[in-house]
Amino acid sequence: MEREKMVVSAMKCLLLAPRARPDISRHGATGYEEHGPLAPTQPLPQAQLAVIGGSGFYEMDALRDLEQWAPETPYGAPSAPITIGTLHGKRVAFLPRHGVGHTLTPSEIPVRANMWALKSLGVQGIFAVSAVGSLKEEIVPLHMVVPDQIIDRTLSDRPVSFFGGGIVAHVGFAEAVDVIASLLGQQR
């Protein structure tokens, strides 16, 4: 519960802060154009931001006006059905990274399906929460740390890119974290 309070506080800063969001329309509306059979038959719910919950953070009680969406993507199903609700007047999607009941190990998380599903909802930014250890004594359990950089050491057989199969792209990983969002999150 304490973790959710911290996330809700940080999300309030992100949702209410006046700042321009990046235009990602050049990447395609939803990508369904290329996968006709998966095109939705009814309007999809919409969300401006998403929260991806990590270990111990499987639902957001602060969300109101809830709806569930269990999509099938070209990459299979996401980790769990996505909950869309209202937080501080904005629509927010919530996805438990490890699935309902923590059934997926880090190497089993369907990252591409998760990202595809969130993009399909119109999500422009993701606030991901993870429970990790620290090598610094002053950082203890339940402390909130907002990184400005990450190192991905989850080596496994899972695909790590949307590209391949004849499509080559080089996507920089140097600025994986939105510095402005990090600063806003620290202002809670």
Side-chain angles (χ1 to χ4, degrees):
M1 192 59 163
E2 183 66 28
R3 187 177 298 155
E4 181 179 352
K5 287 180 186 175
M6 290 188 296
V7 169
V8 168
S9 177
M11 287 294 293
K12 183 176 182 180
C13 291
L14 294 174
L15 289 168
L16 301 180
R19 76 182 269 251
R21 289 276 172 209
D23 177 16
I24 62 171
S25 59
R26 67 183 181 278
H27 301 294
T30 64
Y32 282 119
E33 302 82 14
E34 301 167 22
H35 301 277
L38 294 173
T41 57
Q42 57 188 14
L44 295 175
Q46 293 292 297
Q48 179 183 356
L49 292 174
V51 174
I52 299 179
S55 297
F57 188 33
Y58 307 113
E59 59 186 22
M60 273 186 78
D61 293 333
L63 293 177
R64 300 290 176 252
D65 305 317
L66 302 178
E67 54 186 311
Q68 291 271 320
W69 183 53
E72 188 62 34
T73 77
Y75 305 101
S79 297
I82 298 170
T83 301
I84 302 103
T86 303
L87 180 66
H88 300 295
K90 305 285 185 180
R91 296 299 280 171
V92 174
F94 179 80
L95 175 65
R97 174 187 291 114
H98 294 285
V100 176
H102 199 110
T103 57
L104 301 171
T105 67
S107 59
E108 295 174 320
I109 295 169
V111 176
R112 295 190 303 174
N114 288 349
M115 295 300 105
W116 184 279
L118 293 174
K119 172 79 166 117
S120 297
L121 293 172
V123 167
Q124 298 286 310
I126 297 171
F127 190 86
V129 180
S130 296
V132 298
S134 172
L135 297 177
K136 295 186 175 186
E137 272 186 44
E138 63 270 18
I139 301 175
V140 298
L142 292 181
H143 272 188
M144 185 173 188
V145 177
V146 181
D148 59 6
Q149 189 56 271
I150 60 172
I151 298 171
D152 184 3
R153 301 288 294 170
T154 54
L155 305 174
S156 69
D157 293 348
R158 76 171 179 213
V160 295
S161 173
F162 286 97
F163 303 107
I167 300 173
V168 178
H170 301 279
V171 179
F173 200 61
E175 296 180 15
V177 176
D178 182 333
V179 177
I180 295 171
S182 293
L183 292 172
L184 288 170
Q186 290 175 6
Q187 292 176 5
R188 68 172 196 96

